[in-house]
Amino acid sequence: MRCPYCGHPEDKVLESRTLIGGESIRRRRECTACGYRFTSFERIDEKPFMVVKQDGRRQPFDRAKLEKGIERALEKRPVSTSMVEQISNDIEDMAIKYGREEREISTSQLGELVLEKLYTIDKVAYVRFASVYRHFETVEEFITEVRNITKRGDKK
């Protein structure tokens, strides 16, 4: 590392300390030419996890947006707020695992992950989320989805 005082390219590390739960390292350094002491920091520079919209636009994954959709689906249902947080954690983990190589996931894949999780937790919340996610426009679409839930339940 170049000395900020004299510009010499060599230094020695006097002390290293891990900060923020291992997410960065603070190093005290000393220039071998002039003896000037300075501090440097190292941290991982990750690319953000992206969500690919249906029109092809990409935007950073927004956990708050995910939680808001899940909370709306579970509104006035017998599910605790800690459970909502756990569901969000599980979906975020699955999304990152699913899109690990490209560091992105499509909104349709993300929506399907949410539907899978809600189906196991609360069928009413599942239908609520599906109605928005799949853009239900008629009562028949709701009825069809409820019948599908009933049929799936019979198989298990």
Side-chain angles (χ1 to χ4, degrees):
M1 180 159 293
R2 189 170 300 281
C3 174
Y5 186 72
C6 72
H8 188 70
E10 294 178 31
D11 65 62
K12 63 181 176 180
V13 176
L14 303 174
E15 173 190 13
S16 290
R17 190 173 291 180
T18 303
L19 303 174
I20 316 170
E23 293 180 23
S24 69
I25 298 174
R26 175 186 177 267
R27 298 193 194 279
R28 281 297 288 158
R29 299 175 177 269
E30 182 177 62
C31 176
T32 56
C34 70
Y36 182 75
R37 291 185 176 194
F38 58 99
T39 303
S40 66
F41 293 90
E42 292 179 31
R43 66 176 164 63
I44 296 172
D45 189 18
E46 286 190 59
K47 292 189 324 189
F49 189 72
M50 303 298 279
V51 176
V52 182
K53 305 292 248 175
Q54 287 184 344
D55 64 4
R57 289 180 298 127
R58 285 171 169 69
Q59 65 184 50
F61 176 81
D62 185 354
R63 183 190 164 91
K65 205 171 180 181
L66 174 68
E67 276 186 2
K68 187 176 179 183
I70 293 168
E71 284 171 354
R72 278 204 178 129
L74 289 166
E75 195 170 331
K76 297 184 182 179
R77 299 297 303 153
V79 178
S80 68
T81 54
S82 63
M83 183 62 145
V84 171
E85 190 173 325
Q86 183 60 48
I87 293 166
S88 299
N89 288 340
D90 292 347
I91 292 169
E92 183 177 12
D93 291 345
M94 287 187 294
I96 290 170
K97 188 176 179 181
Y98 191 80
R100 178 169 291 178
E101 287 183 29
E102 295 87 26
R103 301 276 313 142
E104 63 184 30
I105 189 168
S106 70
T107 53
S108 60
Q109 292 168 322
L110 189 57
E112 291 301 323
L113 290 175
V114 173
L115 284 173
E116 281 178 35
K117 194 67 176 175
L118 287 177
Y119 184 84
T120 63
I121 304 296
D122 187 291
K123 305 298 187 270
V124 173
Y126 168 86
V127 172
R128 285 177 178 172
F129 190 86
S131 70
V132 174
Y133 170 68
R134 294 186 177 145
H135 309 290
F136 289 179
E137 293 182 13
T138 65
V139 173
E140 287 75 28
E141 290 175 295
F142 278 95
I143 293 169
T144 302
E145 195 63 42
V146 171
R147 284 188 180 136
N148 288 340
I149 289 173
T150 307
K151 286 178 187 174
R152 265 173 93 176
D154 292 341
K155 291 178 183 174
K156 291 181 179 178

